[in-house]
Structure formats: structure tokens, C-alpha cells
Amino acid sequence: MKIKSFVIIALLLCAVAGAARAGGFETFTWNDATRDVYIDNEVDRAAQVLMLDTPRRVALISPKLDRAVVLDVSARTVNLMAKDAFRMANDHASAASDSSAQMQQAGKFAQVDGSTYLFAIDGRPVLIKPHPGLTGEISEERLLETVPVWRSLMNDYKPAPEAVSALKAVDADASLTVVLGSWCPDSKNYVPKLLKALHAAGNQKLRVNLIGIDSQFHDPMATIQQRRVINVPTLIVERGGREIGRVVETPASEAMEKDLVAILNGRQQPHPGKWDRGPKIAQGVYVYRDESGKERGRERWELYSTSEGGSLVHSEVTSGDTVTEIWHRVDAARKPSMVEITKYRGADVARTRYRFGDRSLTARLRGNDAGVIEQTLSVPERYAFTSQAIAAEGWTWAEGEKAGGGTPSVRYIAPLRLDSTVGTLQAVTVEARGEEQVRVPAGEFRSRHFVRRAEGEHSDWWMHADLNIPVRGKTSAGMEFALASIEVLQARN
């Protein structure tokens, strides 16, 4: 009898849970967002702002307010909710709430510049705005007072024990300069963890200096220029006044303290890049020559598949005194989904990242002497992205071939200048000329021949029949490139 009753209760509980799901009940996951909050015209550093993507909402939890405030961005309404409706994670970087949680509408808000919100609660003015960032040398205590979630992240983190032991064992003085953005998600993710590891090590020979920069990379400009900072966080490790290594934005390993140990021991590993990728398909080298046959540059490249069914190319182009590193990814439909271009020339460095919307392209450049420069363009639904990465040029060529040749299209051409985001849109026509056998220094390949025409110039391209990468190319001005070497590691799916 007891067993039968237990089964009935269990079935009832399952039925209730199923009804809740059928009725639309679900769990919302909110993420911490660093913002400045003003209540009664005074900054409230103890306040926390949380963001929800779907539905688009902004939550404010403050000890100065009895209830949580939830802004419905689509409806532009101000709502009140019980604070205990939010279940905070241990590190306070996220929270969960039930979609069924009751909200009481309390008015409307004004939205300025897309990310600033102004409203009133019981006659008290409230302002939520982007956090511009602490600047200059800052103490750890001031940093944690300004962005309290960093303290929770630090306290909750468990650093790698072997890295802590290695840091304890360091017996030579070293200076650790951490350039960070108190507004920056990557800084929030990595800097508190690094500080926790250094605290656990307790090694007085490791001297830490924290420097904050603003979100526009203008202040302090002397630090940005002299330290060649283009992304935050940047950890710079020095001994005797000489830099022996640095970590930029994300660690090469799974933890920044492990990267620090590697640098201090003289074994820093090259960064594999922060961009997700699947198996490596192939790798190789192109050689560029001018009309006289003189070598003008080289490109080392790697081709990867991606989890989204697309492709990712990583290229490093060396030409004269400039080195250009390119990450270029397309989705399964061969639309550009991520491009990052970093240029190095002597002490100057600039990095441009491209964001792709439905009909827009935004380029955001950070340079160690240019601050932040941004360009946004309207683009057609289908277009190609052209950078210095020859290995990424083949992804849209099949369009003209499928259409029978002569199909007009548009390409965006990334700028060559170190300090510019000003790329251009250009109408192009691609004509398919059939298959040919092509011999280059890397070997002989079955290739598809294309002719590209644009604004008075034309170029011939021979594409690898399987990998869809260029094998050889020649412009009407006489410049030429060819595969100097190639290693195919696995077949394309």
C-alpha cells in the first residue's frame, strides 16, 4: 500500500512538472554586466546589474532599493520584483529566475544611446549607464570596491595547485604589470583569478602593479603607447627592466597563472588564438612575387573546420617590415562570421575586429597610438570579405561557377594601413573558366580557373579542387602568388 501511494505521488509530481513546462514556465539565466548606477544622484557601487538576452531585460539589485528593478527593453517598462526571485551563483557572475516570477509595473524608462537607462522609483531618480573604467595606477582594494563582483569571482576561484606551488618557488624578482579594463568582460574573467593565485602563492618577489585604461583606449595614453596595449587584460612580465613575456586578453593555457609560470621559467607557449575551431584540415605557405619575379612577401596559413559547418583560416603575412596576422571564419553558407586582423610594424601594433549583422559590417580598431576607431557600413545580403589572407579568398568563388559565370557580386576590402578601419565596398564579376592542371612549387594540382574583374583591373585565380583554397594567382599589374608548400592533414567532410 505504501509503495502504491509513493508511485501515485511521484506520478502526480511529474504531471505537475509537465504542466509547468507546457504552461511556459522556464528558468531565465541572467549574466552580470558592469555598469555605473546612480540612485538619488549618487553612485551606488554596491548595486549589481544583470542582463537577460531573451526576453531582452535589464535587472538592478541594490541595497538602497527594497525590491529588484527589471526593465523590459522591448516594452520600455519599469517593473518591480522580489529580490529573492533571483538565485545568485556563488561567484555572483550570474543568476537564475523563474519565468513565472511576479512583476509589478512601476512606470516607463527613457533610453539614451542604446545603453543608458533613466527612470524613477518612488520619486527617486535612477540612472544606469556604461562604466567608462578606472584609469591609471590603481590599488587592488579600489578596484574591488569599484567592481564588487570581481571580489566574489576572486574569492570563489580555486587556482591550479601546481601553478601556485611554482609561483611560491620563484626565487628571482619579477615585476608583473596588469593592464586591465574595469569595464571589460575578459578582464573580469581573468584578472581576479590571477590575483587569487598570486595571493595563494604569497611570494614577495612577485611585485604586482595594476593599471586601468578607459573603454576608448585613450587614457592613460602614455601606458597604451609605451606598453603597446591593444587588448585587455594584458599581463606584462619583466625582470631587470626588460620584458620577458606577456599574456594578451586570454591565456594560451586554460589559466593565466599557468601562463605566468611558463613565462617566469622561460617556456612561454605561443597563443593558439581565442577563436573556437575544429580539426585542422591543411596548412601551407604562399610566396608573393612582383612583375620582375622578386619575392615580396610570404603567407603561412592554417585551415580548420568549425563546429558550425564552416571554415576558419589563420594566416600570418610577412611583407617588408610589416607582419599581419589574420583570423577569418565563415559559416556553413560561406558568409563571414568573424574576422580579426592584427598588424605589427616595429613598436606599432593595431588590431581590428569585424562584427557582422544581417545587413551591416562594423570594424573596430584598437591601436597603441590611435585609441579606438570604429566604422559601420551597410552591406548587401551576400558579399565577400577580402583581407591579406590569400588562403581565405576561395570561399565565395563557387557562386559564379554555379551561376554559369559572369555573376556580379560585392566584396569588402579591408584596409592595408596600420591605423585605418576605412575599408571599401567594390562590385566584382567572377567568371568560371573550367578545370586545369596547375604546377607550382608545392606540386601539381587539379584546379578550377576563375577570372575576377573589378573597376578596370582583372586577375586570374586557380582554386584547389578539394580544399577550395587558391593554388596560384596573377593580377593584371603583374603581381603573382603561388603555393610554396602544402600539407593536407585530413579530407574535408
Side-chain angles (χ1 to χ4, degrees):
M1 186 69 175
K2 288 183 180 180
I3 295 176
K4 185 176 180 180
S5 299
F6 176 80
V7 171
I8 292 174
I9 292 172
L11 290 172
L12 287 172
L13 289 173
C14 290
V16 170
R21 287 192 293 272
F25 296 172
E26 60 179 309
T27 299
F28 290 150
T29 300
W30 304 73
N31 293 304
D32 175 75
T34 303
R35 297 291 187 272
D36 282 351
V37 175
Y38 292 82
I39 299 177
D40 288 331
N41 301 314
E42 292 185 353
V43 66
D44 181 6
R45 293 298 183 199
Q48 183 169 15
V49 175
L50 301 166
M51 295 285 189
L52 178 66
D53 290 333
T54 307
R56 184 81 170 91
R57 291 176 180 173
V58 180
L60 166 63
I61 301 174
S62 167
K64 293 185 176 182
L65 302 174
D66 293 335
R67 286 184 284 178
V69 177
V70 178
L71 307 182
D72 186 320
V73 176
S74 299
R76 290 186 176 271
T77 58
V78 179
N79 305 275
L80 300 178
M81 183 187 292
K83 290 182 179 180
D84 59 11
F86 293 88
R87 301 183 294 277
M88 286 288 179
N90 289 336
D91 60 8
H92 278 234
S94 62
S97 71
D98 297 327
S99 63
S100 59
Q102 295 297 310
M103 293 196 304
Q104 175 189 348
Q105 187 170 332
K108 294 277 189 175
F109 66 84
Q111 188 171 3
V112 183
D113 297 330
S115 55
T116 299
Y117 306 95
L118 179 63
F119 54 93
I121 297 294
D122 297 329
R124 306 169 69 185
V126 180
L127 174 68
I128 303 174
K129 58 180 291 190
H131 174 60
L134 296 171
T135 59
E137 292 191 14
I138 52 179
S139 67
E140 181 180 314
E141 190 56 34
R142 184 186 174 207
L143 174 64
L144 299 181
E145 286 176 355
T146 303
V147 279
V149 170
W150 290 36
R151 190 188 300 274
S152 301
L153 288 163
M154 184 172 70
N155 291 338
D156 188 63
Y157 181 60
K158 294 177 175 56
E162 67 275 16
V164 172
S165 297
L167 291 173
K168 282 183 179 179
V170 173
D171 60 0
D173 290 340
S175 174
L176 314 180
T177 300
V178 183
V179 185
L180 60 91
S182 54
W183 46 270
C184 167
D186 282 322
S187 294
K188 178 171 67 176
N189 186 30
Y190 292 108
V191 174
K193 296 175 181 178
L194 175 63
L195 294 176
K196 178 68 173 289
L198 290 169
H199 289 322
N203 191 333
Q204 299 301 312
K205 292 184 178 294
L206 302 177
R207 302 182 304 278
V208 181
N209 184 31
L210 303 177
I211 301 177
I213 65 173
D214 73 303
S215 59
Q216 294 302 306
F217 280 66
H218 288 154
D219 186 22
M221 185 54 74
T223 296
I224 294 168
Q225 291 178 336
Q226 295 168 10
R227 297 291 195 168
R228 302 174 65 216
V229 176
I230 57 171
N231 284 98
V232 286
T234 294
L235 167 63
I236 303 168
V237 185
E238 297 170 297
R239 275 192 171 131
R242 182 179 64 86
E243 180 176 330
I244 61 172
R246 67 171 57 195
V247 182
V248 178
E249 193 172 25
T250 59
S253 65
E254 68 273 16
M256 194 166 278
E257 63 265 26
K258 291 187 176 182
D259 277 27
L260 174 57
V261 170
I263 292 171
L264 291 169
N265 291 333
R267 297 194 300 269
Q268 182 173 11
Q269 299 298 312
H271 201 296
K274 65 179 289 184
W275 311 110
D276 292 334
R277 83 294 301 264
K280 185 188 291 187
I281 303 298
Q283 60 189 16
V285 176
Y286 291 110
V287 173
Y288 310 144
R289 299 186 186 277
D290 62 19
E291 62 275 12
S292 68
K294 183 177 180 180
E295 183 173 324
R296 292 297 184 182
R298 285 179 172 252
E299 174 183 338
R300 297 185 180 277
W301 57 270
E302 300 166 321
L303 173 65
Y304 299 86
S305 63
T306 68
S307 59
E308 60 187 352
S311 300
L312 172 70
V313 157
H314 176 219
S315 288
E316 184 177 276
V317 179
T318 303
S319 180
D321 63 351
T322 302
V323 176
T324 305
E325 183 182 22
I326 303 120
W327 294 88
H328 187 161
R329 185 176 65 203
V330 293
D331 62 18
R334 294 185 178 175
K335 291 183 178 181
S337 59
M338 182 281 298
V339 176
E340 177 187 275
I341 301 174
T342 307
K343 297 180 183 294
Y344 305 89
R345 183 185 298 142
D348 294 327
V349 58
R351 174 171 292 167
T352 304
R353 285 183 177 155
Y354 294 85
R355 300 194 305 272
F356 301 95
D358 290 337
R359 292 295 180 94
S360 67
L361 178 154
T362 299
R364 185 176 175 85
L365 177 146
R366 290 177 181 170
N368 64 324
D369 62 354
V372 174
I373 304 172
E374 192 166 290
Q375 175 201 30
T376 300
L377 289 177
S378 296
V379 294
E381 183 178 359
R382 297 288 298 182
Y383 66 98
F385 189 104
T386 294
S387 67
Q388 285 179 268
I390 294 294
E393 277 291 286
W395 288 333
T396 58
W397 297 88
E399 299 286 324
E401 188 178 34
K402 290 176 183 177
T407 304
S409 60
V410 173
R411 64 173 176 166
Y412 173 86
I413 304 174
L416 294 175
R417 284 178 50 191
L418 192 74
D419 60 347
S420 177
T421 62
V422 184
T424 58
L425 288 173
Q426 186 180 77
V428 299
T429 299
V430 177
E431 300 173 6
R433 296 290 181 88
E435 290 193 354
E436 301 176 11
Q437 288 294 118
V438 176
R439 177 167 290 280
V440 292
E444 187 172 343
F445 301 91
R446 181 172 58 89
S447 307
R448 291 172 295 166
H449 183 191
F450 294 89
V451 176
R452 182 170 71 186
R453 304 182 189 278
E455 297 184 3
E457 62 92 16
H458 72 273
S459 53
D460 288 84
W461 299 72
W462 288 266
M463 298 293 171
H464 194 287
D466 299 321
L467 298 177
N468 209 33
I469 61 168
V471 172
R472 177 173 177 260
K474 187 173 184 179
T475 71
S476 54
M479 292 294 294
E480 188 172 4
F481 71 86
L483 267 177
S485 66
I486 185 172
E487 181 183 4
V488 179
L489 303 174
Q490 70 177 64
R492 297 299 300 256
N493 293 328

